[in-house]
Amino acid sequence: MLTTDIATELLAAWDAGRIVPSIAARYAAFHWDDAYAISAELIKRRRARGEKTLGRKIGFTNRNIWPQYGATSPIWHPIYDRTIVYANDGKATLSLAHSSQPLIEPETAFKLRGPVPVNCRDPVEILRAIEWVAPSFEIVCCHFADWKCTPAEFAADFSLHWRLVVGTPVSINPDQLTALTKQLRDCSVTLSNNGNVMDRGQGSNALDHPALALAFLADIVATQAAFDPLAAGEIITTGTLTAALPVKAGETWQSRYEGLPGVRGIELRFTA
């Protein structure tokens, strides 16, 4: 397999919003190491054309949706200045031009104040590395037909990241981490389309706790020499708390968070 050739194919597909043939069908031995080698090449190319990495997305932290997609593990990829959108007073508009089979995911996003400890499973200790928490919508896209591919192909395909919409952040008080830990685990989120409730979820759907999604990311990146370590200032979104649902132009989607003080939802309108 030529990593550079597959990276060229996937980047062109991302730019145009088009489908590509299965990688695994062409290369039977295609697996995780190959996927992240492609990911590293994609990062290099996007940076070379002027895009800046601002953080990372973690995908497939919600095990409830693994059977639907054939997922077997969480995955990750950077967030870029081209792919992040900040909601103004909780509202944003997003064009779906050049997207590919887009789905919406309500998530919990963090901004790092410092490195996340490796091999740590204590949410309180992990949250000491967090500056703020915010509601987010990730719009994920797949460049394989009908979202049918292997787990490693999902990782190679930008780990499905297309856009991240970040809502109003709430600063984290280091003196209140014990209470916040419980709130992040137990909070609920309601996902609606044009005012109609489509699904509900809770914080624990992200690997049992959003902080443990961060732990996964810190641990895997520590083993991947091709990638930068986690650092202060990065924005990390920790995976969908509900089902991932298809979106189209003309729709307005809303999220509502309960049990997470200060965190307001987002209203996101889609255009063509």
Side-chain angles (χ1 to χ4, degrees):
M1 185 196 73
L2 291 178
T3 297
T4 54
D5 289 350
I6 299 298
T8 297
E9 185 177 43
L10 284 171
L11 189 56
W14 195 95
D15 288 337
R18 66 171 180 249
I19 301 300
V20 298
S22 167
I23 302 170
R26 290 176 278 168
Y27 304 100
F30 184 78
H31 202 53
W32 292 108
D33 289 346
D34 304 306
Y36 281 107
I38 291 168
S39 183
E41 178 67 18
L42 289 167
I43 296 167
K44 182 175 74 172
R45 293 188 183 201
R46 294 184 74 161
R47 285 174 168 169
R49 67 185 195 178
E51 295 184 64
K52 297 178 181 178
T53 50
L54 299 183
R56 326 217 186 181
K57 68 78 50 86
I58 315 171
F60 288 132
T61 59
N62 189 336
R63 300 184 189 93
N64 295 323
I65 67 173
W66 283 15
Q68 180 180 354
Y69 299 98
T72 58
S73 170
I75 54 180
W76 76 272
H77 192 78
I79 295 162
Y80 302 87
D81 56 350
R82 177 179 170 183
T83 66
I84 195 165
V85 175
Y86 296 97
N88 183 14
D89 196 27
K91 297 183 178 182
T93 299
L94 183 63
S95 169
L96 291 172
H98 306 300
S99 63
S100 175
Q101 308 175 103
L103 308 178
I104 191 169
E105 301 181 339
E107 308 193 2
T108 303
F110 298 115
K111 183 178 180 181
L112 301 186
R113 70 168 78 247
V116 177
V118 176
N119 296 324
C120 179
R121 293 297 178 271
D122 182 349
V124 173
E125 290 304 310
I126 294 166
L127 290 174
R128 295 189 192 282
I130 306 306
E131 179 180 331
W132 54 245
V133 57
S136 65
F137 274 139
E138 190 181 15
I139 310 306
V140 292
C141 286
C142 183
H143 298 95
F144 300 101
D146 301 319
W147 281 81
K148 302 297 184 185
C149 59
T150 67
E153 285 176 303
F154 281 132
D157 189 14
F158 306 90
S159 288
L160 310 175
H161 176 64
W162 189 69
R163 294 289 189 275
L164 177 69
V165 180
V166 180
T168 304
V170 176
S171 296
I172 289 180
N173 185 338
D175 296 328
Q176 297 178 350
L177 291 183
T178 299
L180 179 62
T181 296
K182 185 176 186 300
Q183 291 161 357
L184 284 166
R185 182 194 66 203
D186 297 341
C187 72
S188 63
V189 61
T190 301
L191 177 64
S192 301
N193 176 14
N194 295 331
N196 300 308
V197 174
M198 305 300 291
D199 201 10
R200 292 183 172 92
Q202 59 189 41
S204 60
N205 284 346
L207 286 185
D208 302 322
H209 195 292
L212 297 181
L214 278 177
F216 159 81
L217 180 62
D219 290 354
I220 190 172
V221 171
T223 70
Q224 295 174 319
F227 302 102
D228 298 331
L230 296 179
E234 290 197 51
I235 295 173
I236 313 292
T237 190
T238 54
T240 189
L241 304 179
T242 69
L245 298 177
V247 297
K248 61 184 179 181
E251 295 177 337
T252 298
W253 288 74
Q254 304 90 13
S255 62
R256 186 178 77 251
Y257 291 72
E258 296 179 83
L260 196 54
V263 174
R264 299 166 49 202
I266 299 172
E267 181 177 289
L268 178 59
R269 182 172 67 91
F270 290 104
T271 62

